[in-house]
Amino acid sequence: MDTANLTAAWLSFAATAVGLGGLISQASAINDQLDPYHATRTAEYLGIWFQRQPGPPWWKIAKPPPEGPVIAARMADGFCGVNAVHIARIPVVPPGKAGWSTILAMFHNDWPALLPDAAAVRSVDAAEKGAGVVASADSEPARNRAAGVGASWVNLDRTGLKRHQSHACIVISRTTLITMLVTTNGRPVFQYSDATGFRAGYASYCGQWYITWPIGQEAIVKFAAHDSIGSTEVLPRSFAQRVDRCGQMVSGVVSAPTSGFAVGFCGRKNAGLYRLEHAVKGFQGAHSGRHLYNMMGGQAYKVDFLHARAVAETGEADDATVLELPSKDGGDKGGKVRMAVPPHEEDVLRQALDCLPWTSLSWSMHRGMRDVLTAYGRGVMNTHRAALAALLQRTVADRPDVFRARGWDPEFVRENMGPMAASAVLAGAGNSGDSVRVVTDIVSVYVGDWDVARLDEVVFWRRPDVNEIRELDKQAVVALTKLFVLEWSQEFDYQLYHHLPIDLYFA
């Protein structure tokens, strides 16, 4: 009798346990289906950040939102606290579908080790010259590299993701968005603002940016990497960008920390006659890039200003150099701007040209500054274009092993690199980040062990005999290369922030 009762009790307990297990299993499945983040908790969506999710608390039935990184970027603080970021157009770690995950797989706080045994290049100076060892995107080390580089940005603060439509988003400021746009060399493709809201698309060296702000809804930003870059890439897979310098160039400011020189440029003007005037510490009163400069953490009151005053108010000086610039009205139909530059202002322009920051990539920049500096330097540049193009070709022909060691494809170095660089210099203008990277890396090899501070400030344009120079020394080559980068840079709407809310969802 006791045995029968014991057996019945155990059978009852087992049936109850099975029933409860089934109910719990069904409840868990139903809870998963009701989870608003169900489709975005996957490794396919989150990429490497799937591995960084905390375990769900056992005492809660509903799962908390997945966590994502806190991304903040501006000129004064860098990208997530890092000024010299290393950018790889092909994501180094699995990026996932989220745009913020893709960006963090391209931006790195240290030189990305694309091979397990690659010698790390950790200084900004060496990074500016593109040193490093590169693995094919289809190689075994490349497929397994996530273990070695997955720690990138692992120390970022995290917060719960925000759901917007079918996306799991982080929240970023408009300053962070603009900083990321200019760091990736973004340029506007389209922009619409009407009764339905605001829409814009920006092409960049790293991918496509899309901004949508429907009336009465949250503004959302999306980013997609290029789908045309893969194992056929012939350039080094990563390069260094300095966030502070990108912010200065889009705000229209040239500065030299070693000498205390800092000057801001006025914006593009309507057709007419103007006189350029130097106002000491006058940038705080400018309407040009001053707002963006302050928003990015700059101190506009410490910056001089080159102001364009209508000639009708002051009269045109007889000893002034007159530059012909594009007008704000657009194209030849709107006429040209004629800018008179007195001798003192010429000295300021020469110093600004000498103090242009070194870069590996073209700039997203202030169009007023680009107009004035390229127009002023074009005469000297045209005199030396052929010599500079020939020098670039000779450097590639004489030192192919150096370029292969820096990550360039051997066949590209042998067959295409020199002619491509020469053609870019001779063209006088263009829109190709690859061409700029080719030219700047050749010059980095040519000058040898120059550090980035030495590349940032040279003495060429300020030489009294600058118009009589016949042979190019290293200072001249660097100065002309920095002007070449301006010629190949893209205009950027430095007043984009007027169209954006303070915070945006980054999907």
Side-chain angles (χ1 to χ4, degrees):
M1 188 64 181
D2 291 340
T3 303
N5 288 337
L6 184 61
T7 302
W10 277 110
L11 288 174
S12 176
F13 175 78
T16 302
V18 170
L20 287 175
L23 289 175
I24 293 172
S25 177
Q26 291 180 13
S28 178
I30 293 172
N31 189 45
D32 282 344
Q33 294 300 321
L34 294 177
D35 179 11
Y37 295 95
H38 177 72
T40 57
R41 291 187 187 274
T42 63
E44 183 182 11
Y45 188 87
L46 297 175
I48 193 68
W49 291 88
F50 176 77
Q51 303 173 14
R52 300 175 182 175
Q53 297 300 312
W58 62 268
W59 64 89
K60 288 186 178 181
I61 297 176
K63 295 181 180 179
E67 292 186 353
V70 176
I71 296 179
R74 63 176 191 155
M75 179 181 68
D77 304 321
F79 180 84
C80 298
V82 179
N83 183 49
V85 293
H86 304 274
I87 300 177
R89 282 203 295 175
I90 299 175
V92 175
V93 296
K97 291 183 177 180
W100 52 265
S101 175
T102 303
I103 280 291
L104 291 179
M106 292 180 162
F107 283 36
H108 303 277
N109 52 3
D110 203 348
W111 191 265
L114 300 184
L115 278 175
D117 58 346
V121 182
R122 302 189 181 277
S123 70
V124 176
D125 306 338
E128 286 286 341
K129 301 171 186 176
V133 184
V134 182
S136 166
D138 295 327
S139 66
E140 188 66 25
R143 288 193 294 269
N144 295 331
R145 61 196 168 189
V149 220
S152 185
W153 308 118
V154 71
N155 293 323
L156 291 182
D157 292 336
R158 300 174 194 176
T159 187
L161 298 178
K162 304 291 186 180
R163 186 170 181 268
H164 183 80
Q165 299 173 352
S166 60
H167 307 289
C169 310
I170 63 172
V171 179
I172 60 173
S173 68
R174 60 183 179 180
T175 305
T176 296
L177 172 61
I178 294 173
T179 303
M180 291 191 296
L181 281 169
V182 299
T183 304
T184 57
N185 190 208
R187 59 182 177 84
V189 175
F190 68 85
Q191 188 179 108
Y192 301 109
S193 183
D194 53 29
T196 62
F198 175 77
R199 292 171 295 157
Y202 286 80
S204 77
Y205 188 70
C206 295
Q208 303 288 333
W209 294 87
Y210 302 97
I211 308 169
T212 307
W213 188 15
I215 292 294
Q217 299 182 36
E218 299 289 346
I220 187 167
V221 180
K222 299 179 182 178
F223 174 78
H226 290 303
D227 58 359
S228 58
I229 303 169
S231 58
T232 58
E233 177 77 300
V234 296
L235 282 71
R237 292 295 170 84
S238 59
F239 60 95
Q241 276 282 70
R242 289 179 290 168
V243 177
D244 58 347
R245 295 300 193 169
C246 293
Q248 291 171 4
M249 296 299 284
V250 75
S251 302
V253 173
V254 178
S255 70
T258 55
S259 60
F261 173 79
V263 64
F265 286 75
C266 60
R268 187 175 287 174
K269 299 298 180 182
N270 293 319
L273 301 177
Y274 297 86
R275 174 190 174 103
L276 201 63
E277 295 183 355
H278 178 221
V280 177
K281 310 302 180 188
F283 192 51
Q284 184 64 38
H287 182 67
S288 180
R290 180 251 303 179
H291 296 288
L292 181 59
Y293 190 72
N294 284 332
M295 187 185 299
M296 288 190 160
Q299 296 171 316
Y301 57 85
K302 293 184 177 181
V303 181
D304 295 353
F305 184 52
L306 286 173
H307 170 60
R309 188 182 299 278
V311 167
E313 300 177 24
T314 62
E316 185 175 352
D318 294 334
D319 57 348
T321 300
V322 179
L323 306 177
E324 192 170 273
L325 310 176
S327 69
K328 189 164 62 174
D329 308 314
D332 296 331
K333 295 181 180 179
K336 292 288 186 180
V337 170
R338 296 183 69 244
M339 186 74 70
V341 185
H344 171 69
E345 281 68 20
E346 277 199 70
D347 293 340
V348 177
L349 292 184
R350 292 191 188 102
Q351 187 168 3
L353 284 167
D354 274 342
C355 295
L356 284 170
W358 184 256
T359 181
S360 299
L361 187 65
S362 44
W363 302 108
S364 297
M365 67 178 298
H366 185 283
R367 64 185 186 180
M369 178 171 71
R370 181 176 181 269
D371 290 345
V372 172
L373 291 181
T374 53
Y376 184 79
R378 187 171 294 120
V380 174
M381 182 71 177
N382 288 340
T383 301
H384 299 293
R385 280 193 196 278
L388 180 60
L391 183 146
L392 296 175
Q393 285 193 286
R394 286 197 307 272
T395 303
V396 176
D398 294 344
R399 308 180 71 178
D401 293 341
V402 177
F403 291 102
R404 288 197 291 269
R406 294 163 74 89
W408 295 88
D409 179 76
E411 183 179 353
F412 174 76
V413 172
R414 185 171 58 253
E415 302 290 341
N416 310 110
M417 191 173 188
M420 180 177 172
S423 296
V425 170
L426 294 173
N431 178 16
S432 169
D434 285 348
S435 294
V436 173
R437 286 186 64 190
V438 167
V439 171
T440 55
D441 205 58
I442 294 173
V443 174
S444 294
V445 171
Y446 172 75
V447 298
D449 58 353
W450 281 28
D451 61 20
V452 71
R454 193 173 178 187
L455 291 165
D456 279 344
E457 186 170 0
V458 295
V459 179
F460 170 72
W461 298 99
R462 287 172 286 180
R463 288 178 55 174
D465 61 341
V466 65
N467 293 310
E468 285 76 42
I469 293 175
R470 291 294 174 261
E471 293 188 7
L472 300 179
D473 58 10
K474 290 184 178 181
Q475 299 255 359
V477 170
V478 171
L480 294 174
T481 300
K482 293 195 288 188
L483 182 61
F484 158 81
V485 174
L486 291 196
E487 294 177 330
W488 282 68
S489 292
Q490 287 77 47
E491 299 174 4
F492 189 89
D493 180 10
Y494 51 83
Q495 294 187 341
L496 171 65
Y497 58 87
H498 285 311
H499 300 284
L500 303 175
I502 301 298
D503 295 317
L504 305 93
Y505 280 12
F506 188 7

